[in-house]
Amino acid sequence: MHRTALKMSAAAVALLALAACGSSTGDRGLSGAAIGAGAGAVGGAIVGAPLSGAAIGGVVGGATGALTDKDDIDLGDPVWD
């Protein structure tokens, strides 16, 4: 159980590191929220609270994406452009 939780936490951190995809603040906030919600749902499912995990992950990911400058992490244009 602990090994699985550690792997899932590492995956969530890696996904949140990519939260700044996009060329505008809104793009980065939106993609960060989506990535964070997905990672939070997976992490929350491990402890039995996927909805809480998704909500927390979405807020943290969205804030991370919105507060990240375009030049910090530039993975190109988002798929919806």
Side-chain angles (χ1 to χ4, degrees):
M1 174 72 175
H2 293 314
R3 189 169 279 198
T4 302
L6 181 61
K7 287 179 184 178
M8 295 310 290
S9 296
V13 169
L15 288 173
L16 286 174
L18 298 175
C21 303
S23 55
S24 72
T25 302
D27 288 344
R28 289 188 303 275
L30 180 62
S31 63
I35 292 168
V42 171
I46 292 172
V47 297
L51 294 178
S52 296
I56 293 168
V59 169
V60 171
T64 302
L67 295 174
T68 304
D69 187 63
K70 180 182 176 184
D71 297 326
D72 290 339
I73 300 173
D74 187 7
L75 300 177
D77 291 331
V79 287
W80 53 84
D81 274 351

